[in-house]
């Protein structure tokens, strides 16, 4: 049954029907559509727009319909325009004439705005929970690796030694920001658009605040034109998902490098790796690569919606129907990536000996050698030059600074004493860095304590 046959004299062209329909994808939120209808009908009865008897008949019809959809007695295998038409026409089939009163004081424009908000609200929370789980696993890795040394890089060149806990902690920070974004988006989107009608409200004495409270919103939206045409919250969420994907992708990129023959800092578990059909020796980090690759897909959906919304005049336009498939895909993709990534990182083997070995070479302790001189009264700029010369000597001899004899040190600067070796030992280099946020043991323990507390509270 069509919802709008009255003023038409011809049937819809078949291609138009197919091109226009959204049931094939907006069936995703049939729960939300039915929940919204129940709240609407409850409010209509409270306002004496429907009788209590009419309300109860409609509510029962909606409950039965939902159950049949859940158990698969009913399917979406029908030529109907969208989920709203589907629910309404099936309700009428079930309860008869009274079902036709459901749509009083409501339009599909505020209805779809509501459904999408209800749906996104749950997805924002689901994403947040997955992030919580991931952060928990990462903090566990931090606890186990407070003194696992590895080189820190700038320009992908070895720079200064740090610890695995410190490195992983950087990602914990990113994912904490991602969670904050989720909470922030939720807060802003949590106003109920139902009762805005097609665009200009309605003449029925609706109690919009009541409907909003039934649906656990913080209140009703303030402008009916904005209510039916606002998709900001969706763009914000797609942006938040894109950032999550960016963070996952950067981490994956590092794991792919670390898993390579050249680094060997980690070994992916067999259960999260794949083989090659031709090269028997291969064990490929496909999951990390796929997550990295899928970031492009999520960014794409963000760009698509931005572009769809650009230049849309007020209020509702059918263009907005295009918000759904991309959003659903972005949500599904990001959530799967979070799950897969968490599994991959929790089963990965770290190789501390390879990391420490790598940190030893590449002069990651050169800054500490310069700091040693500064502590003995040499101006930093001179110290920088002296250590530069030492590095040159070591490069020629193909040895790390740690293996240079004291004579050689003294040849370049008489300030050096036996204690230089201790000053540039990896442990010392890292341990002395205890400013807030640095990799030293004390600073790391403080960071971990903060994260544990955070995980308990939020
Ligand atoms: N399927 C539509 C959408 O997703 C629902 C709203 C339709 N409203 C309308 N006036 N045609 O946007």
């Amino acid at each position: 049954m069509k919802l709008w046959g009255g003023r038409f004299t011809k049937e819809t062209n078949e291609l138009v029907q197919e091109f226009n329909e959204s049931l094939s994808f907006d069936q995703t939120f049939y729960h939300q559509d039915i929940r919204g209808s129940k709240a609407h009908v409850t409010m209509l009865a409270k306002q004496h727009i429907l009788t209590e008897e009419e309300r109860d008949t409609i509510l029962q019809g909606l409950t039965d319909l939902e159950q049949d959809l859940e158990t698969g007695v009913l399917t979406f295998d029908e030529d109907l325009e969208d989920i709203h038409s589907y629910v309404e026409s099936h309700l009428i089939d079930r309860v008869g004439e009274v079902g036709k009163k459901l749509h009083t004081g409501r339009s599909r424009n505020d209805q779809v705005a509501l459904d999408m908000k209800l749906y996104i609200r749950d997805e924002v929370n689901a994403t947040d929970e997955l992030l919580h789980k991931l952060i928990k696993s990462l903090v566990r890795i931090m606890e186990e690796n407070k003194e696992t040394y590895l080189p820190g890089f700038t320009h992908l060149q070895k720079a200064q030694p740090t610890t695995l806990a410190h490195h992983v902690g950087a990602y914990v920070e990113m994912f904490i920001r991602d969670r904050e974004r989720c909470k922030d988006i939720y807060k802003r989107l949590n106003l109920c658009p139902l009762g805005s009608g097609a665009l200009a409200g309605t003449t029925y004495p609706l109690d919009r605040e009541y409907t909003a409270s039934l649906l656990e919103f913080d209140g009703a939206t303030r402008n009916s034109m904005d209510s039916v045409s606002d998709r900001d919250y969706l763009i914000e969420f797609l942006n938040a998902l894109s950032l999550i994907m960016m963070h996952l992708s950067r981490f994956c990129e590092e794991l792919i490098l670390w898993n390579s023959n050249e680094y060997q800092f980690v070994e992916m578990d067999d259960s999260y790796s794949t083989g090659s059909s031709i090269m028997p020796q291969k064990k490929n980090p496909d999951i990390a690569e796929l997550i990295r690759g899928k970031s492009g897909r999520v960014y794409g959906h963000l760009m698509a919606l931005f572009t769809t919304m650009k230049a849309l005049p007020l209020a509702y336009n059918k263009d907005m129907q295009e918000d759904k498939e991309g959003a659903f895909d972005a949500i599904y993709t990001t959530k799967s990536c979070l799950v897969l990534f968490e599994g991959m990182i929790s089963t990965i083997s770290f190789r501390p000996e390879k990391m420490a070995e790598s940190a030893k070479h590449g002069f990651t302790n050169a800054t500490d050698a310069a700091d040693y001189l500064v502590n003995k009264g040499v101006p930093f700029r001179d110290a920088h030059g002296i250590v530069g010369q030492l590095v040159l000597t070591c490069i020629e001899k193909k040895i790390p600074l740690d293996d240079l004899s004291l004579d050689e040190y003294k040849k370049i600067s008489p300030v050096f004493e036996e204690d230089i070796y201790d000053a540039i030992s990896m442990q010392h280099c890292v341990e002395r860095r205890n400013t807030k946020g640095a990799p030293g043991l004390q600073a790391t323990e403080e960071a971990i304590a903060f994260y544990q507390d955070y995980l308990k509270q939020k």
Side-chain angles (χ1 to χ4, degrees):
M1 184 198 83
K2 276 219 172 60
L3 299 180
W4 40 260
R7 63 109 57 218
F8 288 77
T9 54
K10 275 194 192 167
E11 283 299 308
T12 319
N13 173 299
E14 224 175 277
L15 283 177
V16 170
Q17 164 72 24
E18 206 182 300
F19 190 69
N20 193 45
E21 72 87 27
S22 55
L23 181 62
S24 55
F25 48 89
D26 62 17
Q27 57 180 257
T28 307
F29 46 57
Y30 76 88
H31 275 298
Q32 287 78 1
D33 196 78
I34 292 174
R35 186 175 174 204
S37 289
K38 284 181 165 178
H40 183 63
V41 138
T42 307
M43 181 276 296
L44 289 177
K46 176 184 153 294
Q47 298 303 96
H48 308 293
I49 301 165
L50 292 188
T51 66
E52 287 181 4
E53 204 190 329
E54 288 170 331
R55 174 196 64 195
D56 292 344
T57 310
I58 294 177
L59 285 179
Q60 191 57 53
L62 288 169
T63 301
D64 295 345
L65 174 59
E66 188 167 29
Q67 203 171 17
D68 284 355
L69 285 170
E70 261 161 43
T71 54
V73 172
L74 262 182
T75 61
F76 292 106
D77 208 10
E78 271 175 68
D79 253 3
L80 285 169
E81 191 179 328
D82 51 33
I83 187 61
H84 325 295
S85 327
Y86 184 95
V87 169
E88 190 175 331
S89 70
H90 276 271
L91 178 73
I92 295 166
D93 285 350
R94 268 160 208 260
V95 303
E97 284 301 296
V98 62
K100 295 182 179 170
K101 295 193 173 183
L102 169 65
H103 212 52
T104 313
R106 187 175 78 169
S107 152
R108 279 184 295 164
N109 298 351
D110 56 347
Q111 203 181 345
V112 75
L114 171 73
D115 292 2
M116 197 65 178
K117 273 191 163 183
L118 288 173
Y119 182 82
I120 294 298
R121 216 167 61 163
D122 287 347
E123 292 300 330
V124 169
N125 282 342
T127 307
D128 186 49
E129 268 170 45
L130 291 175
L131 285 166
H132 184 275
K133 185 161 186 237
L134 174 58
I135 293 171
K136 204 167 170 184
S137 299
L138 295 180
V139 172
R140 190 182 42 75
I141 294 173
M142 287 184 74
E143 286 173 89
E144 291 163 2
N145 291 284
K146 291 186 274 198
E147 291 176 290
T148 305
Y149 303 120
L150 85 170
F153 296 83
T154 62
H155 315 273
L156 213 48
Q157 309 274 328
K158 290 178 196 174
Q160 291 174 342
T162 179
T163 66
L164 183 57
H166 190 232
H167 198 116
V168 170
Y171 286 99
V172 169
E173 287 295 327
M174 295 180 221
F175 294 125
I176 285 179
R177 287 197 294 275
D178 289 329
R179 291 195 67 207
E180 283 169 9
R181 260 184 286 277
C182 285
K183 293 184 198 311
D184 201 38
I185 292 165
Y186 190 103
K187 225 186 316 155
R188 220 179 345 270
L189 80 76
N190 203 29
L191 292 175
C192 182
L194 201 64
S196 297
L199 75 160
T202 157
T203 53
Y204 299 98
L206 306 188
D207 183 347
R208 292 195 55 216
E209 294 296 342
Y210 179 69
T211 316
S213 72
L214 290 177
L215 294 167
E216 292 167 89
F217 281 99
D218 294 330
T221 49
R222 291 179 293 269
N223 179 295
S224 58
M225 290 184 94
D226 179 54
S227 306
V228 293
S229 61
D230 167 32
R231 298 294 182 271
D232 290 5
Y233 67 92
L234 202 51
I235 292 179
E236 285 188 47
F237 188 40
L238 290 176
N239 176 64
L241 296 178
S242 298
L243 278 163
I244 293 170
M245 290 304 296
M246 181 186 87
H247 296 150
L248 290 176
S249 176
R250 291 182 71 180
F251 210 160
C252 283
E253 167 71 10
E254 297 204 298
L255 294 177
I256 293 162
L257 281 174
W258 289 2
N259 188 62
S260 68
N261 286 337
E262 283 66 25
Y263 281 76
Q264 298 180 16
F265 284 8
V266 297
E267 190 175 341
M268 301 267 181
D269 195 66
D270 277 4
S271 61
Y272 279 85
S273 310
T274 48
S276 157
S277 60
I278 174 169
M279 296 166 283
Q281 84 281 15
K282 293 278 249 173
K283 190 171 133 183
N284 296 328
D286 282 25
I287 301 311
E289 289 172 11
L290 260 179
I291 295 174
R292 185 178 61 182
K294 282 177 192 284
S295 59
R297 174 170 173 158
V298 176
Y299 295 1
H301 293 313
L302 170 65
M303 274 309 125
L305 186 56
F306 258 128
T307 314
T308 297
M309 292 306 293
K310 171 190 165 294
L312 281 194
L314 290 178
Y316 178 82
N317 298 272
K318 190 76 170 209
D319 314 45
M320 290 176 191
Q321 179 164 292
E322 284 294 306
D323 64 354
K324 291 173 198 61
E325 287 160 292
F328 295 159
D329 185 68
I331 292 165
Y332 175 77
T333 303
T334 308
K335 278 168 51 184
S336 322
C337 288
L338 280 168
V339 171
L340 268 292
F341 186 88
E342 198 275 332
M344 180 173 72
I345 196 82
S346 301
T347 52
I348 213 165
S349 311
F350 294 105
R351 307 183 68 181
E353 58 320 321
K354 292 279 182 191
M355 293 181 182
E357 185 60 24
S358 167
K360 247 189 226 154
H361 300 277
F363 307 103
T364 56
N365 48 4
T367 315
D368 294 84
D371 289 346
Y372 171 91
L373 292 172
V374 171
N375 281 327
K376 303 228 165 185
V378 181
F380 182 78
R381 195 47 58 212
D382 293 341
H384 188 285
I386 292 168
V387 177
Q389 280 177 273
L390 284 169
V391 167
L392 204 58
T393 311
C394 287
I395 291 174
E396 279 162 14
K397 293 182 178 295
K398 295 197 173 65
I399 54 170
L401 280 172
D402 314 62
D403 293 353
L404 201 63
S405 71
L406 190 57
D407 278 353
E408 302 267 14
Y409 270 105
K410 282 193 177 288
K411 239 190 256 169
I412 297 178
S413 167
V415 180
F416 285 112
E417 300 292 344
E418 191 60 40
D419 59 351
I420 177 64
Y421 295 106
D422 192 36
I424 61 167
S425 78
M426 189 130 48
Q427 191 173 9
H428 200 252
C429 292
V430 175
E431 280 325 312
R432 281 177 51 232
R433 292 179 149 75
N434 270 312
T435 41
K436 183 175 181 186
L441 187 58
Q442 196 191 324
T444 301
E445 278 171 349
E446 279 164 24
I448 291 174
F450 173 86
Y451 297 141
Q452 279 163 342
D453 199 40
Y454 163 88
L455 285 167
K456 262 185 242 144
Q457 283 174 26
K458 296 185 188 174

